Amino acid sequence: MFDKLLIANRGEIACRIASTARRLGIRTVAVYSDADASARHVTFCDEAWRLGPAPARESYLNAERVLEIARRSGAQAIHPGYGFLSENEVFARAVADAGLVFVGPPASAIAAMGDKAAAKRLMEKAGVPLVPGYHGTDQSEATLAAQAERIGYPVLIKASAGGGGKGMRVVESPGQFSAMLASCRREAKNAFGDDTVLVERYVTRPRHIEIQVFADARGNCLHLFERDCSVQRRHQKVIEEAPAPGMTDERRRAMGAAAVAAARAVGYVGAGTVEFIADPSGAFFFMEMNTRLQVEHPVTEMITGFDLVEWQLRVASGEPLPVAQEDLRIDGHAIEARIYAENPEKGFLPSIGTLRYLRTPPAVEFARTALAAAGAPAAPVRIDSGVREGDTISAHYDPMIAKLIVHGADRETALARMARALAKFEVVGPASNVDFLSRLVANRAFAAGDLDTGLIEREKDTLLPAPAKPSLRRRALAVATVLAAEFDASRSSDAHEWADDPWNARSGWRPGAPLARTLQFEQSGEPCPVRVEYGRDEWLVRDGDESARLAELRWDTASPSVRTVRGVVDDRSFVVDSVIDGETLHVFSPLGHYALGYTPALANVGEREDDSALLAPMPGKVIALFVEAGATVERGQPLLVIEAMKMEHTISAPSAGRVASIRFGVGDQVAEGAQLVEFAAQ
């Protein structure tokens, strides 16, 4: 076993690898970009070296710089994590040529599986079932369009060198093919440096099921069962679980055997994942092989009890796999939810900013589980995260905040545990998908195991409900937090002994009559005020004929903007966490998280943005313009494309009209909220 490891990655996977390495007595070397100089993984490792500027191509994708740091730091091995250089055959070969250990498969295996079209031809020879499609070398648009016609619509265009949903488009009809192909190629070229694509039949209501495989250098190869990764948005996974709901022993054996055959066909060594598409009939087809550790590997660890990073390090140092296939058993059920800084209500666009407040449920971190922990039961809740409160989610990298993983004796228990854990995951700063995940876990189809990659789109009305005026009870809880904040402020600012001053009495006592006031809340630009009437030991919250009674308020104050408030509303006790962020009041309660605008004298409530302006929905770079100033456009017509976090986002006209001016050109960086296009007055 080597004694010093360089981790050529960032975020939670870098922390995850460092955690296991530390337990094995291996010293770790972190690398970082200028954007990550104070990131968690930098402090998590034994030493840290600067790579370069923030853009990934100048830092985490700079293979020469990574190798230079490895030599200068004395590292004997490099673990690439996932993403960045993890599936780069040139880098893997350069590591070996430098006399270092690459913690991953041989470069030949990465090359064989990295070209998805060539990999499918290889899998066909190995007898692994394939989706009907075109994986040829003729990349002319005419040939690709003709092949799409032969396969039959809908088809899937997919980057041959890609992954993670980048460079992938579903095409419903021939009229869409040319535009979708161009967009797919642009995105693939930018993300992977290769715009080669393949075309396949798009399987309707497909399930995405993958098999974790592991091989050593001594010829041993096995699988550690399956993961269901069907629940996706924008072709990227949101929820993963193991084992797959409804999986039969017969299909598990067949898929496991096919995955092992795929790994053996390329002389695989280390951890890998063979991904399959399964149709409603139960048939399954090879999709691709990821020649690295996967983001969702914790669910496999939770049901098998083995630390897969430890296996990677031991296999890379020449040790054999610690068990045989027949020794493996499935223990219970595990579910992973990816907590992202993104806005589900805006098409899951990434969100950036400082994590001004971050509170997570009680959990273990990067936990060893079950069998690997000498027979101890699996930890019920685990969090893998590469960020802390106060860190910044930047536009340069993946916007993941954390992976929340739960384990239970069965799927029903795991689902209930996930629901409770999500209810205690609180984020203020960038937008997050926590509330969306809570609705997803509670969704009837998801809970019933009726899974496929179209579930989110099919259930969007319940998963992404239109904004609604918050109930009076929700606003009453917000009133409770406002009262607590105001009382804290009066106590801290008063020069007198506050307890003896009747003017600071919480009862609202005043000469002549009790105090009554209106608190001006707003949500999504809509006013939703309430009237608060003060009593001796309680408060009555009113909105028209509705009323709610608050009583027995008490609170713990962590800071001027953060407090936990307890009390009773309409004879029901409550405990809420509240965070004041500028003019926004965040309430985390058993009713969920909600944010209300609040200022002592809220002005301009309900005003709308100027209809003559089109604003950037997220920060990014303009990579394509489709219209010029003076053009007449129709509602929904594509105007330009913004690239953010390696994904393309087409900005369309909100209504018919004439373009007065375009404020940015191709290559320009834009900030969220920046005016992109000005329309002429109608």
Side-chain angles (χ1 to χ4, degrees), residues 18 91 98 112 119 136 143 161 203 266 278 323-324 333 365 375 382 397 403 427 443 477-478 481 510 535 555 581 673:
F91 177 67
T143 295
V203 179
V266 295
V323 298
H333 198 94
E365 188 175 49
R382 164 178 164 179
Y397 315 117
K403 298 185 308 194
V427 181
N443 177 266
L477 298 183
T481 67
R510 296 292 185 271
W555 54 89
D581 183 26

Side-chain angles (χ1 to χ4, degrees), residues 5-18 29-33 36 39-42 44-45 47-49 51 56 59-62 66 69 78-87 91 102 292-293 295 386 397-398 400 646:
L5 173 71
L6 183 143
I7 304 170
N9 217 293
R10 64 178 301 279
E12 52 82 24
I13 186 57
C15 295
R16 166 75 176 92
I17 296 165
V29 179
V31 291
Y32 63 91
S33 71
D36 281 341
R40 189 179 186 220
H41 78 276
V42 173
F44 214 81
C45 293
E47 57 185 273
W49 293 65
L51 280 169
S59 50
Y60 295 104
L61 290 172
N62 187 339
V66 171
I69 292 173
I78 296 177
H79 196 310
Y82 42 69
F84 297 131
L85 296 169
S86 63
E87 294 181 282
F91 177 67
F102 181 75
R292 53 175 169 80
L293 199 66
V295 176
Y397 315 117
D398 185 86
M400 181 181 286
K646 298 184 181 179

Side-chain angles (χ1 to χ4, degrees), residues 347-548:
F348 298 95
L349 292 175
S351 181
I352 65 173
T354 300
L355 292 165
R356 290 186 286 277
Y357 172 79
L358 179 62
R359 183 172 295 179
T360 60
V364 294
E365 188 175 49
F366 312 122
R368 299 181 71 198
T369 56
L371 303 177
V381 182
R382 164 178 164 179
I383 294 175
D384 289 9
S385 179
V387 299
R388 305 151 296 191
E389 184 174 285
D391 286 351
T392 297
I393 304 296
S394 78
H396 297 288
Y397 315 117
D398 185 86
M400 181 181 286
I401 296 172
K403 298 185 308 194
L404 177 62
I405 311 106
V406 300
H407 180 269
D410 50 37
R411 188 171 188 262
E412 184 178 2
T413 302
L415 280 173
R417 188 160 281 153
M418 176 62 78
R420 291 194 297 270
L422 285 168
K424 296 179 180 178
F425 207 109
E426 303 171 358
V427 181
V428 172
S432 84
N433 65 341
V434 173
D435 297 334
F436 168 79
L437 290 169
S438 294
R439 293 190 292 270
L440 178 57
V441 169
N443 177 266
R444 183 176 301 176
F446 179 80
D450 182 16
L451 309 179
D452 63 75
T453 58
L455 184 145
I456 289 177
E457 177 64 23
R458 192 166 56 253
E459 299 286 327
K460 64 182 179 181
D461 289 344
T462 56
L463 296 178
L464 298 166
K469 182 178 180 180
S471 68
L472 184 62
R473 185 161 184 252
R474 288 189 175 214
R475 283 177 285 162
L477 298 183
V479 168
T481 67
V482 169
L483 294 173
E486 291 179 344
F487 185 61
D488 277 343
S490 67
R491 181 173 59 181
S492 62
S493 63
D494 194 357
H496 303 288
E497 182 63 31
W498 63 271
D500 297 329
D501 190 340
W503 302 104
N504 280 331
R506 281 182 290 165
S507 65
W509 176 89
R510 296 292 185 271
L515 174 65
R517 58 191 286 223
T518 297
L519 297 185
Q520 298 285 358
F521 294 125
E522 63 92 17
Q523 185 180 62
S524 302
E526 295 293 338
C528 47
V530 293
R531 179 177 173 82
V532 183
E533 299 175 1
Y534 287 63
R536 178 176 296 276
D537 297 308
E538 63 181 29
W539 299 259
L540 198 62
V541 182
R542 292 185 181 276
D543 181 6
D545 294 334
E546 286 189 277
S547 65

Side-chain angles (χ1 to χ4, degrees), residues 110-347:
I110 297 176
M113 288 299 188
D115 183 333
K116 290 178 171 52
K120 296 206 174 191
R121 294 191 291 269
L122 182 62
M123 292 301 99
E124 190 172 27
K125 291 180 181 178
V128 179
L130 299 179
V131 177
Y134 173 72
H135 317 117
T137 57
D138 186 344
Q139 290 287 298
S140 68
E141 181 175 335
T143 295
L144 294 172
Q147 290 295 330
E149 290 281 2
R150 177 186 63 81
I151 296 164
Y153 286 91
V155 298
L156 182 69
I157 305 175
K158 190 173 183 181
S160 184
K166 299 178 179 68
M168 184 185 299
R169 299 292 186 274
V170 176
V171 187
E172 300 286 350
S173 64
Q176 299 175 331
F177 191 85
S178 181
M180 291 289 195
L181 175 62
S183 178
C184 186
R185 280 177 162 165
R186 279 196 306 270
E187 195 169 277
K189 184 70 173 179
N190 181 67
F192 314 113
D194 185 346
D195 64 0
T196 304
V197 300
L198 52 86
V199 183
E200 293 180 336
R201 187 183 85 197
Y202 182 70
V203 179
T204 57
R205 296 208 66 173
R207 288 181 68 177
H208 183 138
I209 299 176
E210 60 190 33
I211 305 290
Q212 176 73 62
V213 295
F214 228 108
D216 61 30
R218 305 185 185 195
N220 302 307
C221 186
L222 51 74
H223 68 85
L224 292 96
F225 312 114
E226 79 282 354
R227 299 185 285 255
D228 194 309
C229 307
S230 300
V231 182
Q232 304 177 5
R233 88 286 185 261
R234 301 169 67 92
H235 301 297
Q236 292 183 308
K237 302 164 188 173
V238 178
I239 295 272
E240 302 98 359
E241 55 184 304
M247 176 66 76
T248 64
D249 290 339
E250 181 181 7
R251 192 196 295 186
R252 178 175 291 124
R253 284 192 296 269
M255 294 184 76
V260 169
R264 289 191 182 280
V266 295
Y268 202 80
V269 175
T273 304
V274 182
E275 303 195 356
F276 295 96
I277 286 291
D279 69 17
S281 73
F284 62 91
F285 310 99
F286 173 85
M287 185 169 61
E288 64 184 10
M289 182 177 185
N290 288 297
T291 52
R292 53 175 169 80
L293 199 66
Q294 291 278 88
V295 176
E296 57 272 22
H297 74 273
V299 293
T300 297
E301 294 183 325
M302 297 289 261
I303 66 163
T304 63
F306 291 105
D307 183 331
L308 298 189
V309 174
E310 178 178 345
W311 279 26
Q312 284 189 299
L313 299 176
R314 292 193 181 280
V315 165
S317 65
E319 296 183 24
L321 291 173
V323 298
Q325 188 70 61
E326 57 268 23
D327 298 322
L328 293 167
R329 300 287 185 275
I330 294 176
D331 173 23
H333 198 94
I335 303 174
E336 174 180 294
R338 301 188 188 192
I339 312 292
Y340 280 112
E342 64 182 16
N343 195 325
E345 288 73 25
K346 293 184 178 180

